[in-house]
Amino acid sequence: MYCTTVVQESKTVRVFMEKYIFSTGTVTYAIKAKDILKRKGINAYVERSSAKDRIGCGYGVVVASQKDVAEQILRQYGIKILDVKKK
């Protein structure tokens, strides 16, 4: 899980960002999705789903936060999203 450390008035606070995995039909779509999101300024990477969570090819693209924005971008570019799950 992504973690950001923020220092506020002499104390350290850790803020954990939620991660989401967008399941795609093929590993090729997962790679394309990652590239599209990175071009749009959203940090993303391709990951193999666990055996119990596999849908389609078993690969998906993971994003931290900005789930709704990422989903909208991927749909605009014609990336078929089979499922979205919180990690």
Side-chain angles (χ1 to χ4, degrees), residues 26-70:
T26 67
V27 69
T28 302
Y29 273 118
I31 294 167
K32 285 181 182 180
K34 175 197 67 137
D35 292 342
I36 289 166
L37 293 172
K38 285 201 177 234
R39 281 196 310 263
K40 296 291 184 176
I42 297 174
N43 191 22
Y45 61 92
V46 174
E47 183 176 283
R48 181 111 168 119
S49 301
S50 65
K52 66 180 174 93
D53 292 333
R54 283 203 186 123
I55 296 175
C57 68
Y59 283 91
V61 63
V62 178
V63 297
S65 68
Q66 296 184 320
K67 174 188 147 292
D68 295 332
V69 174

Side-chain angles (χ1 to χ4, degrees), residues 67-82:
K67 174 188 147 292
D68 295 332
V69 174
E71 186 172 357
Q72 181 181 15
I73 290 169
L74 294 177
R75 291 192 189 282
Q76 285 176 344
Y77 279 84
I79 302 296
K80 185 176 179 183
I81 300 168
L82 302 178

